[in-house]
Each structure stands twice: as C-alpha cells, then as structure tokens.
Amino acid sequence: DTAVSQTPKYLVTQMGNDKSIKCEQNLGHDTMYWYKQDSKKFLKIMFSYNNKELIINETVPNRFSPKSPDKAHLNLHINSLELGDSAVYFCASRPWAGGSDEQFFGPGTRLTVL
Amino acid sequence: AQTVTQSQPEMSVQEAETVTLSCTYDTSESDYYLFWYKQPPSRQMILVIRQEAYKQQNATENRFSVNFQKAAKSFSLKISDSQLGDAAMYFCAYLVQGGSEKLVFGKGTKLTVNP
C-alpha cells in the first residue's frame, strides 16, 4: 500500500535523450511536488501542482515539463538530457496547498545521464 | 527569501548517547512551520518532528525533541539514546506559506552512530 510511488526507481540514459518519470499518490491529496536532490544531497523544489494546476515553477529550465493528468498523478518529462540533470528526483504530496501538513515523499528516482 | 542553514555537515555519536543537530533559519514571517526530515541510506524521506512557530512548547516525538528558539531563529534537534537505526542524513526544513507552500531545506547533516 505505497502512499507515494515513483517509476522508475533508477534511470540510466545518454545525453540528449528524452525521458519521463511518473508519480502517483493514493492518499487523496490535492497538492503534489517535484524536488531535485543533487550529488551533494541538497534538496530543492522544482514544481508544485494543486488539483492539476501549476502553482510553483522554480526557475527550472524549460527542458523540464511537468504534467498532471489528474490530481493523483504528477509526471516529469525531461527533454534533451544533460549531464547536470543527473540527480535523485523526489515526488511528494500533501493534503492541500495551505496549512502545515507534512509532505509525504516518494522513494525517489535516481537519474544518471552518461 | 527564506534560507535554512545547517552548520554541521557531519556528526557522530556513540550508541545510547545523546546528540544535537543544529539548524538556523532566516525569515521575516511571524507564523511558520519547521520540520526535521531523516533520509536513511534507503533514500526515503521520513518526517521526524514538526514545530509550529506560534507554539512556545518544544515538540517531542519519543527520543526526538527540538529546542526551538524563535528570537534566535534556531531549531535544533536532539536525539536521545541514539540507536544504530538513527544513522542517516538529517534535513531541517522551513515551510514557506502563502498560497504556494513549499519546503526550503538546509544542506543536511550526516549522522553516524558508532556501536
């Protein structure tokens, strides 16, 4: 009964390729996020969606395009992958966009660009 | 913009002893929320403890407690009776509010527990 799941968990690809990471939450939450954790373990928000609507876009290159087909899913598509995109990408969700509720994180997807 | 600083990249503690991890933050808000997350080698992000800024009482969760000093903008985590399973990266985080809530993380502290 995974609350927030991501596929794949590991992704190895060549520079220049296009790839997608999928995220699903079965918690009934309205708000979902993508975070990037770099090689030094620093975590930074990339995007946030609330009920399929984009509410945060943190100066991420436009090669990254999130898509939310419904409020339980938030996918991340990356075009023309670069070496610097290698990182762990975390999806997270919380009940709604306000309040202080904790964010529930997925297991992360380790992306390696060769 | 809010920032979170963890000044200890690495800490170590003997099993069964107590360790304190430091965190300071910068904000002009008066009402906000702070969190400590744990990331073991499995990579999973796990919430350890949460503190509401309007509450003067320090939060506690079993062996984990915080020392929240609002005026000093300090939010340290104390782990008592350390266990081998406490070994992990620990991240302090500030919840930015205002319609587009997001977590701003510190750079983390790697905690080693020695048997």
Side-chain angles (χ1 to χ4, degrees):
Chain A
D1 286 4
T2 306
V4 183
S5 60
Q6 293 179 228
T7 52
K9 287 198 170 61
Y10 298 92
L11 185 53
V12 181
T13 188
Q14 299 286 331
M15 248 175 29
N17 284 350
D18 303 338
K19 289 292 177 187
S20 291
I21 305 171
K22 296 187 176 183
C23 177
E24 176 182 2
Q25 53 95 3
N26 62 7
L27 299 166
H29 290 170
D30 284 349
T31 307
M32 296 183 73
Y33 303 82
W34 278 110
Y35 287 88
K36 178 181 179 180
Q37 186 173 41
D38 64 23
S39 58
K40 296 184 179 178
K41 302 286 189 182
F42 184 54
L43 269 156
K44 190 174 179 194
I45 190 164
M46 301 174 69
F47 300 104
S48 172
Y49 270 74
N50 186 58
N51 255 324
K52 303 193 297 176
E53 181 184 345
L54 179 67
I55 56 173
I56 294 176
N57 182 342
E58 288 278 315
T59 59
V60 177
N62 58 15
R63 297 182 296 104
F64 290 79
S65 52
K67 292 273 192 311
S68 183
D70 55 62
K71 75 174 193 178
H73 295 85
L74 179 61
N75 304 323
L76 183 64
H77 187 75
I78 316 170
N79 288 326
S80 303
L81 278 154
E82 300 178 356
L83 294 176
D85 297 332
S86 295
V88 179
Y89 293 84
F90 285 95
C91 177
S93 74
R94 64 198 295 252
W96 59 295
S100 66
D101 302 278
E102 71 172 283
Q103 294 185 15
F104 291 81
F105 284 81
T109 295
R110 180 178 293 280
L111 171 65
T112 303
V113 182
L114 303 174
Chain B
Q2 291 83 357
T3 58
V4 177
T5 302
Q6 292 180 248
S7 58
Q8 306 150 317
E10 295 188 26
M11 291 282 285
S12 63
V13 63
Q14 289 296 125
E15 200 175 358
E17 294 191 347
T18 296
V19 64
T20 298
L21 309 184
S22 301
C23 173
T24 58
Y25 56 93
D26 187 25
T27 183
S28 56
E29 302 294 325
S30 58
D31 193 18
Y32 47 87
Y33 301 88
L34 296 161
F35 301 83
W36 278 98
Y37 276 87
K38 168 185 176 181
Q39 187 180 40
S42 67
R43 211 167 66 200
Q44 182 69 50
M45 294 289 289
I46 303 163
L47 178 68
V48 175
I49 201 163
R50 164 175 46 208
Q51 176 78 43
E52 291 87 351
Y54 65 85
K55 288 186 178 177
Q56 292 187 338
Q57 188 172 7
N58 289 325
T60 62
E61 286 288 340
N62 301 314
R63 297 182 296 106
F64 298 87
S65 61
V66 298
N67 183 2
F68 174 51
Q69 302 288 329
K70 191 173 183 180
K73 297 180 183 173
S74 170
F75 181 60
S76 59
L77 175 70
K78 185 170 88 170
I79 307 174
S80 305
D81 185 25
S82 297
Q83 300 175 359
L84 294 178
D86 295 333
M89 285 289 291
Y90 285 82
F91 294 95
C92 179
Y94 175 103
L95 181 65
V96 176
Q97 296 186 285
S100 53
E101 280 76 9
K102 63 182 181 183
L103 286 172
V104 174
F105 287 90
K107 293 190 174 181
T109 297
K110 182 179 179 181
L111 178 66
T112 301
V113 181
N114 300 310

Short mmCIF file of all heavy atoms in Angstrom, two decimals, chain B residues 39-97:
data_model
loop_
_atom_site.label_atom_id
_atom_site.label_comp_id
_atom_site.label_asym_id
_atom_site.label_seq_id
_atom_site.Cartn_x
_atom_site.Cartn_y
_atom_site.Cartn_z
N GLN B 39 16.77 11.04 6.22
CA GLN B 39 16.93 10.29 4.98
C GLN B 39 17.98 9.19 5.21
O GLN B 39 19.17 9.44 5.17
CB GLN B 39 17.36 11.19 3.82
CG GLN B 39 17.38 10.45 2.48
CD GLN B 39 17.79 11.34 1.32
OE1 GLN B 39 18.70 12.17 1.43
NE2 GLN B 39 17.13 11.17 0.18
N PRO B 40 17.54 7.97 5.50
CA PRO B 40 18.48 6.86 5.68
C PRO B 40 19.06 6.45 4.33
O PRO B 40 18.67 6.99 3.29
CB PRO B 40 17.60 5.75 6.28
CG PRO B 40 16.20 6.09 5.86
CD PRO B 40 16.14 7.58 5.69
N PRO B 41 19.99 5.50 4.32
CA PRO B 41 20.59 5.06 3.05
C PRO B 41 19.56 4.56 2.03
O PRO B 41 19.83 4.56 0.84
CB PRO B 41 21.53 3.93 3.49
CG PRO B 41 21.91 4.29 4.89
CD PRO B 41 20.68 4.92 5.48
N SER B 42 18.40 4.15 2.49
CA SER B 42 17.35 3.73 1.56
C SER B 42 16.84 4.88 0.68
O SER B 42 16.13 4.66 -0.30
CB SER B 42 16.16 3.16 2.33
OG SER B 42 15.53 4.19 3.09
N ARG B 43 17.18 6.10 1.05
CA ARG B 43 16.83 7.30 0.28
C ARG B 43 15.45 7.86 0.63
O ARG B 43 15.12 8.98 0.25
CB ARG B 43 16.89 6.97 -1.23
CG ARG B 43 17.28 8.09 -2.13
CD ARG B 43 17.61 7.56 -3.49
NE ARG B 43 16.48 6.99 -4.18
CZ ARG B 43 16.61 6.12 -5.20
NH1 ARG B 43 17.79 5.72 -5.60
NH2 ARG B 43 15.54 5.64 -5.81
N GLN B 44 14.65 7.10 1.35
CA GLN B 44 13.30 7.56 1.67
C GLN B 44 13.34 8.75 2.62
O GLN B 44 14.09 8.74 3.60
CB GLN B 44 12.51 6.42 2.33
CG GLN B 44 11.09 6.76 2.66
CD GLN B 44 10.23 6.95 1.43
OE1 GLN B 44 10.20 6.13 0.52
NE2 GLN B 44 9.51 8.06 1.38
N MET B 45 12.57 9.77 2.36
CA MET B 45 12.48 10.94 3.24
C MET B 45 11.39 10.68 4.28
O MET B 45 10.24 10.42 3.94
CB MET B 45 12.11 12.19 2.43
CG MET B 45 13.18 12.62 1.46
SD MET B 45 14.62 13.31 2.26
CE MET B 45 13.97 14.86 2.85
N ILE B 46 11.77 10.76 5.54
CA ILE B 46 10.86 10.41 6.64
C ILE B 46 10.76 11.61 7.58
O ILE B 46 11.78 12.13 8.04
CB ILE B 46 11.40 9.19 7.43
CG1 ILE B 46 11.59 7.99 6.48
CG2 ILE B 46 10.47 8.84 8.59
CD1 ILE B 46 12.46 6.91 7.05
N LEU B 47 9.54 12.02 7.88
CA LEU B 47 9.35 13.13 8.82
C LEU B 47 9.70 12.66 10.23
O LEU B 47 9.22 11.63 10.69
CB LEU B 47 7.90 13.61 8.79
CG LEU B 47 7.59 14.73 9.77
CD1 LEU B 47 8.30 16.01 9.36
CD2 LEU B 47 6.08 14.97 9.86
N VAL B 48 10.55 13.44 10.91
CA VAL B 48 10.94 13.12 12.27
C VAL B 48 10.10 13.90 13.27
O VAL B 48 9.54 13.34 14.22
CB VAL B 48 12.44 13.43 12.50
CG1 VAL B 48 12.82 13.22 13.96
CG2 VAL B 48 13.31 12.58 11.59
N ILE B 49 9.99 15.22 13.03
CA ILE B 49 9.31 16.07 14.00
C ILE B 49 8.94 17.38 13.34
O ILE B 49 9.57 17.81 12.37
CB ILE B 49 10.23 16.28 15.24
CG1 ILE B 49 9.44 16.70 16.47
CG2 ILE B 49 11.36 17.25 14.92
CD1 ILE B 49 10.22 16.52 17.76
N ARG B 50 7.89 18.02 13.87
CA ARG B 50 7.38 19.28 13.32
C ARG B 50 7.17 20.27 14.46
O ARG B 50 6.77 19.88 15.56
CB ARG B 50 6.06 19.01 12.60
CG ARG B 50 5.23 20.25 12.31
CD ARG B 50 4.00 19.97 11.51
NE ARG B 50 3.28 18.83 12.01
CZ ARG B 50 2.51 18.06 11.24
NH1 ARG B 50 2.40 18.32 9.97
NH2 ARG B 50 1.87 17.05 11.74
N GLN B 51 7.41 21.55 14.18
CA GLN B 51 7.21 22.60 15.19
C GLN B 51 6.44 23.75 14.56
O GLN B 51 6.81 24.25 13.49
CB GLN B 51 8.56 23.12 15.70
CG GLN B 51 8.49 24.28 16.66
CD GLN B 51 8.11 23.86 18.06
OE1 GLN B 51 8.59 22.87 18.59
NE2 GLN B 51 7.24 24.64 18.69
N GLU B 52 5.37 24.18 15.23
CA GLU B 52 4.67 25.38 14.80
C GLU B 52 5.27 26.57 15.51
O GLU B 52 5.44 26.53 16.73
CB GLU B 52 3.17 25.29 15.14
CG GLU B 52 2.40 24.26 14.34
CD GLU B 52 2.42 22.86 14.94
OE1 GLU B 52 3.18 22.63 15.90
OE2 GLU B 52 1.67 22.01 14.45
N ALA B 53 5.56 27.64 14.80
CA ALA B 53 6.25 28.78 15.39
C ALA B 53 5.43 29.47 16.47
O ALA B 53 5.99 30.10 17.37
CB ALA B 53 6.64 29.78 14.30
N TYR B 54 4.11 29.39 16.38
CA TYR B 54 3.27 30.07 17.38
C TYR B 54 3.23 29.32 18.70
O TYR B 54 2.75 29.83 19.71
CB TYR B 54 1.86 30.28 16.84
CG TYR B 54 1.06 29.02 16.58
CD1 TYR B 54 0.34 28.41 17.60
CD2 TYR B 54 1.03 28.45 15.32
CE1 TYR B 54 -0.39 27.26 17.38
CE2 TYR B 54 0.30 27.29 15.08
CZ TYR B 54 -0.41 26.71 16.11
OH TYR B 54 -1.13 25.56 15.88
N LYS B 55 3.73 28.08 18.70
CA LYS B 55 3.74 27.29 19.93
C LYS B 55 5.06 27.49 20.66
O LYS B 55 6.13 27.29 20.09
CB LYS B 55 3.55 25.80 19.63
CG LYS B 55 2.16 25.43 19.20
CD LYS B 55 2.01 23.93 19.06
CE LYS B 55 0.59 23.56 18.68
NZ LYS B 55 0.42 22.09 18.49
N GLN B 56 4.97 27.90 21.92
CA GLN B 56 6.20 28.09 22.69
C GLN B 56 6.79 26.76 23.15
O GLN B 56 7.99 26.63 23.34
CB GLN B 56 5.92 28.99 23.89
CG GLN B 56 5.58 30.41 23.50
CD GLN B 56 5.48 31.32 24.70
OE1 GLN B 56 5.26 30.88 25.82
NE2 GLN B 56 5.63 32.61 24.47
N GLN B 57 5.92 25.77 23.31
CA GLN B 57 6.39 24.48 23.80
C GLN B 57 7.16 23.75 22.71
O GLN B 57 6.71 23.67 21.56
CB GLN B 57 5.21 23.63 24.25
CG GLN B 57 5.59 22.35 24.94
CD GLN B 57 4.40 21.63 25.53
OE1 GLN B 57 3.25 22.02 25.30
NE2 GLN B 57 4.65 20.59 26.29
N ASN B 58 8.31 23.21 23.07
CA ASN B 58 9.11 22.45 22.12
C ASN B 58 8.45 21.12 21.80
O ASN B 58 7.98 20.42 22.69
CB ASN B 58 10.51 22.20 22.70
CG ASN B 58 11.34 23.47 22.75
OD1 ASN B 58 11.23 24.33 21.88
ND2 ASN B 58 12.16 23.60 23.77
N ALA B 59 8.48 20.76 20.52
CA ALA B 59 7.89 19.49 20.10
C ALA B 59 8.76 18.31 20.53
O ALA B 59 10.00 18.42 20.59
CB ALA B 59 7.71 19.48 18.58
N THR B 60 8.12 17.20 20.85
CA THR B 60 8.85 15.97 21.17
C THR B 60 8.14 14.80 20.50
O THR B 60 6.90 14.80 20.36
CB THR B 60 8.92 15.71 22.68
OG1 THR B 60 7.58 15.55 23.16
CG2 THR B 60 9.59 16.84 23.41
N GLU B 61 8.93 13.84 20.06
CA GLU B 61 8.41 12.59 19.49
C GLU B 61 9.32 11.47 19.98
O GLU B 61 10.37 11.20 19.40
CB GLU B 61 8.42 12.64 17.95
CG GLU B 61 7.38 13.49 17.31
CD GLU B 61 5.98 12.90 17.39
OE1 GLU B 61 5.83 11.67 17.61
OE2 GLU B 61 5.01 13.67 17.22
N ASN B 62 8.91 10.83 21.07
CA ASN B 62 9.70 9.73 21.63
C ASN B 62 11.12 10.20 21.95
O ASN B 62 11.30 11.09 22.77
CB ASN B 62 9.69 8.54 20.68
CG ASN B 62 8.28 8.04 20.41
OD1 ASN B 62 7.48 7.89 21.33
ND2 ASN B 62 7.95 7.83 19.14
N ARG B 63 12.13 9.66 21.30
CA ARG B 63 13.51 10.02 21.62
C ARG B 63 13.97 11.31 20.93
O ARG B 63 15.10 11.76 21.15
CB ARG B 63 14.44 8.87 21.19
CG ARG B 63 14.20 7.56 21.91
CD ARG B 63 15.19 6.48 21.47
NE ARG B 63 15.02 6.12 20.06
CZ ARG B 63 15.86 6.49 19.08
NH1 ARG B 63 16.94 7.20 19.35
NH2 ARG B 63 15.64 6.11 17.83
N PHE B 64 13.11 11.88 20.12
CA PHE B 64 13.46 13.08 19.36
C PHE B 64 12.77 14.30 19.97
O PHE B 64 11.57 14.26 20.24
CB PHE B 64 13.04 12.92 17.90
CG PHE B 64 13.72 11.79 17.19
CD1 PHE B 64 13.20 10.50 17.24
CD2 PHE B 64 14.89 12.00 16.47
CE1 PHE B 64 13.84 9.45 16.59
CE2 PHE B 64 15.52 10.96 15.82
CZ PHE B 64 15.00 9.68 15.88
N SER B 65 13.52 15.36 20.16
CA SER B 65 12.94 16.61 20.65
C SER B 65 13.67 17.77 19.99
O SER B 65 14.77 17.60 19.45
CB SER B 65 13.05 16.69 22.18
OG SER B 65 14.41 16.68 22.56
N VAL B 66 13.01 18.91 20.01
CA VAL B 66 13.63 20.09 19.43
C VAL B 66 13.83 21.15 20.50
O VAL B 66 13.14 21.18 21.51
CB VAL B 66 12.80 20.68 18.26
CG1 VAL B 66 12.67 19.66 17.14
CG2 VAL B 66 11.45 21.18 18.73
N ASN B 67 14.79 22.03 20.25
CA ASN B 67 14.99 23.24 21.04
C ASN B 67 14.72 24.39 20.08
O ASN B 67 15.56 24.74 19.25
CB ASN B 67 16.40 23.30 21.60
CG ASN B 67 16.59 24.52 22.48
OD1 ASN B 67 15.65 25.29 22.71
ND2 ASN B 67 17.79 24.70 22.98
N PHE B 68 13.51 24.94 20.18
CA PHE B 68 13.07 25.99 19.27
C PHE B 68 13.26 27.33 19.96
O PHE B 68 12.64 27.62 21.00
CB PHE B 68 11.60 25.78 18.89
CG PHE B 68 11.00 26.87 18.07
CD1 PHE B 68 11.62 27.34 16.93
CD2 PHE B 68 9.79 27.43 18.45
CE1 PHE B 68 11.05 28.36 16.18
CE2 PHE B 68 9.21 28.45 17.71
CZ PHE B 68 9.84 28.92 16.57
N GLN B 69 14.14 28.16 19.42
CA GLN B 69 14.40 29.49 19.95
C GLN B 69 13.98 30.49 18.88
O GLN B 69 14.76 30.80 17.96
CB GLN B 69 15.89 29.64 20.27
CG GLN B 69 16.43 28.63 21.27
CD GLN B 69 15.93 28.92 22.67
OE1 GLN B 69 15.70 30.07 23.04
NE2 GLN B 69 15.75 27.86 23.46
N LYS B 70 12.75 31.00 18.99
CA LYS B 70 12.19 31.83 17.92
C LYS B 70 12.98 33.11 17.72
O LYS B 70 13.25 33.52 16.59
CB LYS B 70 10.72 32.13 18.20
CG LYS B 70 9.99 32.75 17.03
CD LYS B 70 8.50 32.87 17.30
CE LYS B 70 7.78 33.43 16.08
NZ LYS B 70 6.32 33.55 16.31
N ALA B 71 13.34 33.77 18.80
CA ALA B 71 14.05 35.05 18.68
C ALA B 71 15.41 34.85 18.00
O ALA B 71 15.85 35.68 17.20
CB ALA B 71 14.23 35.68 20.05
N ALA B 72 16.05 33.75 18.30
CA ALA B 72 17.36 33.46 17.72
C ALA B 72 17.24 32.77 16.37
O ALA B 72 18.25 32.54 15.70
CB ALA B 72 18.17 32.58 18.67
N LYS B 73 16.01 32.41 15.98
CA LYS B 73 15.75 31.69 14.73
C LYS B 73 16.60 30.42 14.67
O LYS B 73 17.33 30.16 13.70
CB LYS B 73 15.99 32.59 13.52
CG LYS B 73 15.03 33.77 13.47
CD LYS B 73 15.24 34.68 12.29
CE LYS B 73 14.28 35.85 12.37
NZ LYS B 73 14.52 36.86 11.34
N SER B 74 16.47 29.66 15.74
CA SER B 74 17.23 28.43 15.87
C SER B 74 16.28 27.27 16.13
O SER B 74 15.29 27.41 16.87
CB SER B 74 18.21 28.58 17.04
OG SER B 74 18.81 27.36 17.36
N PHE B 75 16.59 26.13 15.56
CA PHE B 75 15.68 24.97 15.63
C PHE B 75 16.55 23.72 15.64
O PHE B 75 16.73 23.07 14.62
CB PHE B 75 14.76 25.01 14.40
CG PHE B 75 13.75 23.90 14.32
CD1 PHE B 75 12.81 23.71 15.32
CD2 PHE B 75 13.70 23.05 13.22
CE1 PHE B 75 11.86 22.69 15.23
CE2 PHE B 75 12.75 22.04 13.12
CZ PHE B 75 11.84 21.86 14.13
N SER B 76 17.07 23.36 16.79
CA SER B 76 17.98 22.21 16.85
C SER B 76 17.22 20.93 17.20
O SER B 76 16.18 20.98 17.87
CB SER B 76 19.10 22.46 17.86
OG SER B 76 18.57 22.70 19.13
N LEU B 77 17.76 19.82 16.77
CA LEU B 77 17.15 18.50 17.00
C LEU B 77 18.02 17.72 17.96
O LEU B 77 19.23 17.57 17.73
CB LEU B 77 17.04 17.74 15.68
CG LEU B 77 16.54 16.29 15.78
CD1 LEU B 77 15.06 16.25 16.17
CD2 LEU B 77 16.75 15.54 14.45
N LYS B 78 17.41 17.22 19.04
CA LYS B 78 18.13 16.39 19.99
C LYS B 78 17.64 14.95 19.85
O LYS B 78 16.43 14.69 19.90
CB LYS B 78 17.90 16.88 21.42
CG LYS B 78 18.73 16.10 22.45
CD LYS B 78 18.69 16.76 23.82
CE LYS B 78 17.54 16.27 24.64
NZ LYS B 78 17.63 16.71 26.05
N ILE B 79 18.60 14.06 19.70
CA ILE B 79 18.28 12.62 19.64
C ILE B 79 18.85 11.98 20.89
O ILE B 79 20.07 12.01 21.11
CB ILE B 79 18.87 11.96 18.38
CG1 ILE B 79 18.46 12.72 17.12
CG2 ILE B 79 18.44 10.49 18.29
CD1 ILE B 79 19.13 12.21 15.84
N SER B 80 17.97 11.44 21.71
CA SER B 80 18.40 10.79 22.94
C SER B 80 18.51 9.28 22.74
O SER B 80 17.83 8.72 21.87
CB SER B 80 17.39 11.06 24.06
OG SER B 80 17.21 12.45 24.22
N ASP B 81 19.38 8.65 23.54
CA ASP B 81 19.51 7.19 23.48
C ASP B 81 19.67 6.74 22.02
O ASP B 81 18.90 5.94 21.49
CB ASP B 81 18.28 6.53 24.11
CG ASP B 81 18.39 5.02 24.20
OD1 ASP B 81 19.53 4.49 24.23
OD2 ASP B 81 17.34 4.35 24.20
N SER B 82 20.67 7.29 21.36
CA SER B 82 20.86 7.05 19.93
C SER B 82 20.96 5.56 19.62
O SER B 82 21.57 4.78 20.36
CB SER B 82 22.15 7.73 19.45
OG SER B 82 22.04 9.13 19.61
N GLN B 83 20.34 5.20 18.50
CA GLN B 83 20.34 3.82 18.05
C GLN B 83 20.99 3.72 16.68
O GLN B 83 21.04 4.71 15.94
CB GLN B 83 18.89 3.30 18.00
CG GLN B 83 18.19 3.34 19.34
CD GLN B 83 16.74 2.94 19.27
OE1 GLN B 83 16.20 2.63 18.22
NE2 GLN B 83 16.08 2.95 20.43
N LEU B 84 21.45 2.53 16.35
CA LEU B 84 22.13 2.34 15.06
C LEU B 84 21.22 2.76 13.90
O LEU B 84 21.69 3.28 12.89
CB LEU B 84 22.58 0.88 14.90
CG LEU B 84 23.65 0.41 15.88
CD1 LEU B 84 23.97 -1.06 15.66
CD2 LEU B 84 24.92 1.24 15.75
N GLY B 85 19.94 2.55 14.07
CA GLY B 85 18.99 2.90 13.02
C GLY B 85 18.78 4.39 12.85
O GLY B 85 18.11 4.82 11.91
N ASP B 86 19.36 5.19 13.74
CA ASP B 86 19.26 6.64 13.60
C ASP B 86 20.27 7.18 12.60
O ASP B 86 20.20 8.35 12.21
CB ASP B 86 19.48 7.33 14.95
CG ASP B 86 18.41 7.00 15.97
OD1 ASP B 86 17.26 6.69 15.56
OD2 ASP B 86 18.70 7.05 17.19
N ALA B 87 21.21 6.36 12.20
CA ALA B 87 22.23 6.80 11.23
C ALA B 87 21.54 7.18 9.92
O ALA B 87 20.82 6.37 9.33
CB ALA B 87 23.25 5.70 10.99
N ALA B 88 21.76 8.42 9.49
CA ALA B 88 21.06 8.93 8.30
C ALA B 88 21.52 10.36 8.03
O ALA B 88 22.26 10.94 8.82
CB ALA B 88 19.55 8.93 8.54
N MET B 89 21.04 10.91 6.92
CA MET B 89 21.12 12.35 6.69
C MET B 89 19.90 12.98 7.36
O MET B 89 18.78 12.45 7.24
CB MET B 89 21.09 12.67 5.19
CG MET B 89 22.38 12.38 4.45
SD MET B 89 23.70 13.52 4.85
CE MET B 89 23.11 15.05 4.12
N TYR B 90 20.11 14.09 8.03
CA TYR B 90 19.00 14.81 8.66
C TYR B 90 18.90 16.19 8.03
O TYR B 90 19.88 16.93 7.96
CB TYR B 90 19.21 14.93 10.17
CG TYR B 90 18.96 13.62 10.88
CD1 TYR B 90 19.94 12.63 10.94
CD2 TYR B 90 17.72 13.35 11.47
CE1 TYR B 90 19.70 11.42 11.56
CE2 TYR B 90 17.47 12.14 12.11
CZ TYR B 90 18.47 11.18 12.14
OH TYR B 90 18.23 9.97 12.75
N PHE B 91 17.69 16.50 7.59
CA PHE B 91 17.44 17.78 6.94
C PHE B 91 16.48 18.62 7.76
O PHE B 91 15.40 18.14 8.14
CB PHE B 91 16.84 17.57 5.54
CG PHE B 91 17.78 16.91 4.56
CD1 PHE B 91 17.74 15.54 4.37
CD2 PHE B 91 18.69 17.67 3.85
CE1 PHE B 91 18.60 14.94 3.46
CE2 PHE B 91 19.55 17.07 2.94
CZ PHE B 91 19.51 15.70 2.75
N CYS B 92 16.87 19.84 7.99
CA CYS B 92 15.99 20.83 8.60
C CYS B 92 15.25 21.53 7.45
O CYS B 92 15.85 21.78 6.40
CB CYS B 92 16.85 21.82 9.38
SG CYS B 92 15.97 23.15 10.19
N ALA B 93 13.98 21.82 7.63
CA ALA B 93 13.21 22.44 6.55
C ALA B 93 12.25 23.47 7.11
O ALA B 93 11.68 23.31 8.19
CB ALA B 93 12.46 21.38 5.76
N TYR B 94 12.06 24.51 6.33
CA TYR B 94 11.13 25.60 6.66
C TYR B 94 10.01 25.56 5.64
O TYR B 94 10.26 25.43 4.44
CB TYR B 94 11.91 26.92 6.56
CG TYR B 94 11.09 28.17 6.74
CD1 TYR B 94 11.13 28.87 7.94
CD2 TYR B 94 10.29 28.69 5.72
CE1 TYR B 94 10.39 30.03 8.12
CE2 TYR B 94 9.56 29.84 5.89
CZ TYR B 94 9.62 30.51 7.09
OH TYR B 94 8.89 31.66 7.27
N LEU B 95 8.78 25.67 6.12
CA LEU B 95 7.63 25.66 5.22
C LEU B 95 7.27 27.08 4.85
O LEU B 95 6.83 27.85 5.70
CB LEU B 95 6.44 24.96 5.86
CG LEU B 95 5.18 24.87 5.00
CD1 LEU B 95 5.41 24.02 3.76
CD2 LEU B 95 4.00 24.33 5.80
N VAL B 96 7.48 27.42 3.58
CA VAL B 96 7.09 28.73 3.07
C VAL B 96 5.60 28.68 2.77
O VAL B 96 5.13 27.78 2.08
CB VAL B 96 7.87 29.06 1.78
CG1 VAL B 96 7.38 30.39 1.20
CG2 VAL B 96 9.36 29.11 2.07
N GLN B 97 4.87 29.65 3.28
CA GLN B 97 3.42 29.65 3.09
C GLN B 97 2.96 30.80 2.22
O GLN B 97 3.78 31.59 1.75
CB GLN B 97 2.76 29.76 4.46
CG GLN B 97 3.05 28.57 5.35
CD GLN B 97 2.29 28.63 6.64
OE1 GLN B 97 2.62 29.39 7.52
NE2 GLN B 97 1.24 27.85 6.73
#
